[in-house]
Amino acid sequence: MDDVITIRDLHFSYSREEVLRGINLTLKQGEVLGILGPNGSGKSTLMSIICGIQKNWSGSIEIMGSPLKDYTGKRLARILSYIPQSFDPSFDLKVETIVSFGRNPYLKGLSGPGAKDYEIIDEVMELTEIYGFKDRFFSTLSGGEKQRVVIAKALAQEGRILLMDEFTSHLDPGHSRKVGKIATDLVRAKGLSAMAVFHDLNQAIEMSDRLVFMKEGKIEALGEVWETVNPDVIWKVYGLRAQIITNPITELPLVVFYD
Ligand SMILES: Nc1ncnc2c1ncn2[C@@H]1O[C@H](COP(=O)(O)OP(=O)(O)OP(=O)(O)O)[C@@H](O)[C@H]1O
């Protein structure tokens, strides 16, 4: 498998204290890489560096074989789609308009989206089950509905790499599974690659090919699910005692906490 993102010795600090302290990891073509770790361990910071929001980092990051620092914003946006934890537009806009922003990296000059763009916009709104309220204003939606709009916008961007930061955390269990599955099925069907931050360990196990456990800006464990999910790692990372059993349906690890 080729690597679509390669990160070597990444360091970053917002002020004096380092938040990322020597991160080494790769995202392989076609995989979902789940990122786990307690609050403040640096997961969102890592995502925001990869998608070009945070700048003053040191180390090396290559995306599709080119240094991240060589990308323009528009070129990066055609490759990377970022789904943040929350999205707060400064103006209240209709759902369809927000989803259509996903097509911006493809538009020329001041021209708006064309027929082909609208085909894609409609398709992703159907997929994420928001088509029914495409003419409503964003501010009138529930938290979970808003999150589905943000996911649709990212899908409309058609990046080869999806970066998803706790992207199902506002969703009810039904939509969380459904939207999670849409994203991972899409990654697999279209040969995309994804990095996704999770807090729910069992959801991360189900959705990911490999897992990264972060703690205090460092990687504690990295590898396939059965290699990384064990009581020692969970104790070190979260300070929680857990037993790992085999999920009788998926045959994947199932984490049961007993603290
Ligand atoms: N804009 C900022 N300015 C200063 N410090 C920040 C800023 N954003 C994050 N931090 C700090 O950086 C550290 C890592 O934060 P980050 O948001 O990356 O963690 P996280 O693992 O994503 O946490 P969570 O699970 O709570 O979302 C934390 O100590 C946080 O307080």
Side-chain angles (χ1 to χ4, degrees), residues 140-160:
T140 68
L141 305 181
S142 76
E145 290 165 348
K146 283 180 177 162
Q147 190 61 355
R148 274 147 57 204
V149 174
V150 177
I151 293 166
K153 171 175 163 283
L155 296 180
Q157 211 176 315
E158 292 193 308
R160 305 293 307 156

PDB file of all heavy atoms in Angstrom, residues 140-160:
ATOM      1  N   THR A 140     -31.465  26.830  12.029  1.00  0.00           N
ATOM      2  CA  THR A 140     -32.708  26.228  12.527  1.00  0.00           C
ATOM      3  C   THR A 140     -32.567  24.716  12.728  1.00  0.00           C
ATOM      4  O   THR A 140     -33.517  24.062  13.152  1.00  0.00           O
ATOM      5  CB  THR A 140     -33.886  26.478  11.554  1.00  0.00           C
ATOM      6  OG1 THR A 140     -33.640  25.722  10.344  1.00  0.00           O
ATOM      7  CG2 THR A 140     -34.035  27.949  11.205  1.00  0.00           C
ATOM      8  N   LEU A 141     -31.393  24.147  12.417  1.00  0.00           N
ATOM      9  CA  LEU A 141     -31.233  22.685  12.504  1.00  0.00           C
ATOM     10  C   LEU A 141     -30.756  22.269  13.889  1.00  0.00           C
ATOM     11  O   LEU A 141     -30.147  23.049  14.616  1.00  0.00           O
ATOM     12  CB  LEU A 141     -30.202  22.212  11.471  1.00  0.00           C
ATOM     13  CG  LEU A 141     -30.449  22.590  10.007  1.00  0.00           C
ATOM     14  CD1 LEU A 141     -29.350  22.009   9.134  1.00  0.00           C
ATOM     15  CD2 LEU A 141     -31.810  22.099   9.535  1.00  0.00           C
ATOM     16  N   SER A 142     -30.981  20.999  14.217  1.00  0.00           N
ATOM     17  CA  SER A 142     -30.455  20.450  15.476  1.00  0.00           C
ATOM     18  C   SER A 142     -28.955  20.214  15.316  1.00  0.00           C
ATOM     19  O   SER A 142     -28.430  20.233  14.180  1.00  0.00           O
ATOM     20  CB  SER A 142     -31.151  19.136  15.798  1.00  0.00           C
ATOM     21  OG  SER A 142     -30.636  18.110  14.961  1.00  0.00           O
ATOM     22  N   GLY A 143     -28.262  19.955  16.434  1.00  0.00           N
ATOM     23  CA  GLY A 143     -26.810  19.736  16.395  1.00  0.00           C
ATOM     24  C   GLY A 143     -26.428  18.614  15.441  1.00  0.00           C
ATOM     25  O   GLY A 143     -25.495  18.740  14.651  1.00  0.00           O
ATOM     26  N   GLY A 144     -27.179  17.511  15.507  1.00  0.00           N
ATOM     27  CA  GLY A 144     -26.861  16.357  14.666  1.00  0.00           C
ATOM     28  C   GLY A 144     -27.142  16.617  13.191  1.00  0.00           C
ATOM     29  O   GLY A 144     -26.407  16.174  12.314  1.00  0.00           O
ATOM     30  N   GLU A 145     -28.239  17.368  12.934  1.00  0.00           N
ATOM     31  CA  GLU A 145     -28.551  17.721  11.535  1.00  0.00           C
ATOM     32  C   GLU A 145     -27.468  18.629  10.964  1.00  0.00           C
ATOM     33  O   GLU A 145     -27.034  18.454   9.826  1.00  0.00           O
ATOM     34  CB  GLU A 145     -29.932  18.393  11.469  1.00  0.00           C
ATOM     35  CG  GLU A 145     -31.079  17.437  11.747  1.00  0.00           C
ATOM     36  CD  GLU A 145     -32.411  18.141  12.045  1.00  0.00           C
ATOM     37  OE1 GLU A 145     -32.424  19.372  12.266  1.00  0.00           O
ATOM     38  OE2 GLU A 145     -33.432  17.444  12.088  1.00  0.00           O
ATOM     39  N   LYS A 146     -27.011  19.569  11.799  1.00  0.00           N
ATOM     40  CA  LYS A 146     -25.931  20.472  11.354  1.00  0.00           C
ATOM     41  C   LYS A 146     -24.693  19.666  11.002  1.00  0.00           C
ATOM     42  O   LYS A 146     -24.019  19.935  10.006  1.00  0.00           O
ATOM     43  CB  LYS A 146     -25.567  21.461  12.474  1.00  0.00           C
ATOM     44  CG  LYS A 146     -26.547  22.593  12.635  1.00  0.00           C
ATOM     45  CD  LYS A 146     -26.102  23.512  13.763  1.00  0.00           C
ATOM     46  CE  LYS A 146     -27.048  24.701  13.885  1.00  0.00           C
ATOM     47  NZ  LYS A 146     -26.947  25.389  15.148  1.00  0.00           N
ATOM     48  N   GLN A 147     -24.380  18.676  11.842  1.00  0.00           N
ATOM     49  CA  GLN A 147     -23.169  17.890  11.605  1.00  0.00           C
ATOM     50  C   GLN A 147     -23.274  17.123  10.283  1.00  0.00           C
ATOM     51  O   GLN A 147     -22.300  16.986   9.559  1.00  0.00           O
ATOM     52  CB  GLN A 147     -22.922  16.931  12.790  1.00  0.00           C
ATOM     53  CG  GLN A 147     -21.580  16.237  12.774  1.00  0.00           C
ATOM     54  CD  GLN A 147     -20.374  17.207  12.841  1.00  0.00           C
ATOM     55  OE1 GLN A 147     -20.517  18.429  12.805  1.00  0.00           O
ATOM     56  NE2 GLN A 147     -19.185  16.643  12.893  1.00  0.00           N
ATOM     57  N   ARG A 148     -24.485  16.660   9.967  1.00  0.00           N
ATOM     58  CA  ARG A 148     -24.656  15.942   8.687  1.00  0.00           C
ATOM     59  C   ARG A 148     -24.461  16.889   7.502  1.00  0.00           C
ATOM     60  O   ARG A 148     -23.965  16.489   6.447  1.00  0.00           O
ATOM     61  CB  ARG A 148     -26.008  15.235   8.656  1.00  0.00           C
ATOM     62  CG  ARG A 148     -25.905  13.854   9.299  1.00  0.00           C
ATOM     63  CD  ARG A 148     -27.150  13.439  10.015  1.00  0.00           C
ATOM     64  NE  ARG A 148     -28.331  13.425   9.191  1.00  0.00           N
ATOM     65  CZ  ARG A 148     -29.575  13.535   9.672  1.00  0.00           C
ATOM     66  NH1 ARG A 148     -29.777  13.666  10.970  1.00  0.00           N
ATOM     67  NH2 ARG A 148     -30.595  13.512   8.872  1.00  0.00           N
ATOM     68  N   VAL A 149     -24.830  18.165   7.683  1.00  0.00           N
ATOM     69  CA  VAL A 149     -24.609  19.157   6.615  1.00  0.00           C
ATOM     70  C   VAL A 149     -23.099  19.350   6.404  1.00  0.00           C
ATOM     71  O   VAL A 149     -22.604  19.390   5.270  1.00  0.00           O
ATOM     72  CB  VAL A 149     -25.272  20.518   6.975  1.00  0.00           C
ATOM     73  CG1 VAL A 149     -24.920  21.581   5.953  1.00  0.00           C
ATOM     74  CG2 VAL A 149     -26.787  20.351   7.105  1.00  0.00           C
ATOM     75  N   VAL A 150     -22.378  19.412   7.520  1.00  0.00           N
ATOM     76  CA  VAL A 150     -20.919  19.604   7.433  1.00  0.00           C
ATOM     77  C   VAL A 150     -20.262  18.403   6.745  1.00  0.00           C
ATOM     78  O   VAL A 150     -19.344  18.554   5.932  1.00  0.00           O
ATOM     79  CB  VAL A 150     -20.338  19.813   8.859  1.00  0.00           C
ATOM     80  CG1 VAL A 150     -18.839  19.945   8.821  1.00  0.00           C
ATOM     81  CG2 VAL A 150     -20.961  21.036   9.499  1.00  0.00           C
ATOM     82  N   ILE A 151     -20.774  17.220   7.057  1.00  0.00           N
ATOM     83  CA  ILE A 151     -20.233  16.007   6.431  1.00  0.00           C
ATOM     84  C   ILE A 151     -20.541  16.022   4.926  1.00  0.00           C
ATOM     85  O   ILE A 151     -19.679  15.717   4.099  1.00  0.00           O
ATOM     86  CB  ILE A 151     -20.798  14.743   7.126  1.00  0.00           C
ATOM     87  CG1 ILE A 151     -20.257  14.668   8.555  1.00  0.00           C
ATOM     88  CG2 ILE A 151     -20.452  13.472   6.350  1.00  0.00           C
ATOM     89  CD1 ILE A 151     -20.955  13.684   9.455  1.00  0.00           C
ATOM     90  N   ALA A 152     -21.769  16.440   4.569  1.00  0.00           N
ATOM     91  CA  ALA A 152     -22.140  16.508   3.151  1.00  0.00           C
ATOM     92  C   ALA A 152     -21.232  17.494   2.410  1.00  0.00           C
ATOM     93  O   ALA A 152     -20.768  17.215   1.299  1.00  0.00           O
ATOM     94  CB  ALA A 152     -23.606  16.931   3.016  1.00  0.00           C
ATOM     95  N   LYS A 153     -20.951  18.621   3.039  1.00  0.00           N
ATOM     96  CA  LYS A 153     -20.064  19.636   2.414  1.00  0.00           C
ATOM     97  C   LYS A 153     -18.689  19.020   2.145  1.00  0.00           C
ATOM     98  O   LYS A 153     -18.106  19.193   1.071  1.00  0.00           O
ATOM     99  CB  LYS A 153     -19.955  20.843   3.344  1.00  0.00           C
ATOM    100  CG  LYS A 153     -18.920  21.872   2.951  1.00  0.00           C
ATOM    101  CD  LYS A 153     -19.040  23.070   3.906  1.00  0.00           C
ATOM    102  CE  LYS A 153     -17.821  23.947   3.882  1.00  0.00           C
ATOM    103  NZ  LYS A 153     -16.693  23.398   4.635  1.00  0.00           N
ATOM    104  N   ALA A 154     -18.176  18.272   3.131  1.00  0.00           N
ATOM    105  CA  ALA A 154     -16.851  17.641   2.959  1.00  0.00           C
ATOM    106  C   ALA A 154     -16.891  16.587   1.858  1.00  0.00           C
ATOM    107  O   ALA A 154     -15.950  16.462   1.078  1.00  0.00           O
ATOM    108  CB  ALA A 154     -16.400  17.021   4.274  1.00  0.00           C
ATOM    109  N   LEU A 155     -17.997  15.845   1.778  1.00  0.00           N
ATOM    110  CA  LEU A 155     -18.089  14.820   0.726  1.00  0.00           C
ATOM    111  C   LEU A 155     -18.185  15.471  -0.651  1.00  0.00           C
ATOM    112  O   LEU A 155     -17.631  14.967  -1.630  1.00  0.00           O
ATOM    113  CB  LEU A 155     -19.287  13.887   0.970  1.00  0.00           C
ATOM    114  CG  LEU A 155     -19.227  13.034   2.243  1.00  0.00           C
ATOM    115  CD1 LEU A 155     -20.476  12.167   2.359  1.00  0.00           C
ATOM    116  CD2 LEU A 155     -17.983  12.156   2.289  1.00  0.00           C
ATOM    117  N   ALA A 156     -18.884  16.623  -0.725  1.00  0.00           N
ATOM    118  CA  ALA A 156     -19.010  17.334  -2.008  1.00  0.00           C
ATOM    119  C   ALA A 156     -17.643  17.803  -2.508  1.00  0.00           C
ATOM    120  O   ALA A 156     -17.429  17.989  -3.702  1.00  0.00           O
ATOM    121  CB  ALA A 156     -19.948  18.536  -1.852  1.00  0.00           C
ATOM    122  N   GLN A 157     -16.715  17.955  -1.596  1.00  0.00           N
ATOM    123  CA  GLN A 157     -15.360  18.414  -1.946  1.00  0.00           C
ATOM    124  C   GLN A 157     -14.562  17.337  -2.686  1.00  0.00           C
ATOM    125  O   GLN A 157     -13.578  17.640  -3.330  1.00  0.00           O
ATOM    126  CB  GLN A 157     -14.654  18.778  -0.628  1.00  0.00           C
ATOM    127  CG  GLN A 157     -13.645  19.872  -0.720  1.00  0.00           C
ATOM    128  CD  GLN A 157     -13.109  20.176   0.677  1.00  0.00           C
ATOM    129  OE1 GLN A 157     -13.891  20.283   1.637  1.00  0.00           O
ATOM    130  NE2 GLN A 157     -11.805  20.294   0.807  1.00  0.00           N
ATOM    131  N   GLU A 158     -15.001  16.109  -2.553  1.00  0.00           N
ATOM    132  CA  GLU A 158     -14.398  14.963  -3.257  1.00  0.00           C
ATOM    133  C   GLU A 158     -12.888  14.841  -3.076  1.00  0.00           C
ATOM    134  O   GLU A 158     -12.167  14.527  -4.028  1.00  0.00           O
ATOM    135  CB  GLU A 158     -14.702  15.039  -4.762  1.00  0.00           C
ATOM    136  CG  GLU A 158     -16.167  14.835  -5.082  1.00  0.00           C
ATOM    137  CD  GLU A 158     -16.400  14.601  -6.556  1.00  0.00           C
ATOM    138  OE1 GLU A 158     -15.929  15.413  -7.366  1.00  0.00           O
ATOM    139  OE2 GLU A 158     -17.032  13.583  -6.893  1.00  0.00           O
ATOM    140  N   GLY A 159     -12.411  15.117  -1.865  1.00  0.00           N
ATOM    141  CA  GLY A 159     -10.974  14.948  -1.607  1.00  0.00           C
ATOM    142  C   GLY A 159     -10.607  13.467  -1.578  1.00  0.00           C
ATOM    143  O   GLY A 159     -11.446  12.627  -1.261  1.00  0.00           O
ATOM    144  N   ARG A 160      -9.350  13.161  -1.909  1.00  0.00           N
ATOM    145  CA  ARG A 160      -8.880  11.771  -1.835  1.00  0.00           C
ATOM    146  C   ARG A 160      -8.641  11.357  -0.383  1.00  0.00           C
ATOM    147  O   ARG A 160      -8.525  10.185  -0.066  1.00  0.00           O
ATOM    148  CB  ARG A 160      -7.558  11.591  -2.617  1.00  0.00           C
ATOM    149  CG  ARG A 160      -7.587  12.022  -4.054  1.00  0.00           C
ATOM    150  CD  ARG A 160      -8.470  11.162  -4.919  1.00  0.00           C
ATOM    151  NE  ARG A 160      -8.156   9.736  -4.826  1.00  0.00           N
ATOM    152  CZ  ARG A 160      -9.031   8.766  -5.109  1.00  0.00           C
ATOM    153  NH1 ARG A 160     -10.271   9.068  -5.450  1.00  0.00           N
ATOM    154  NH2 ARG A 160      -8.676   7.506  -5.049  1.00  0.00           N
TER     155      ARG A 160
END
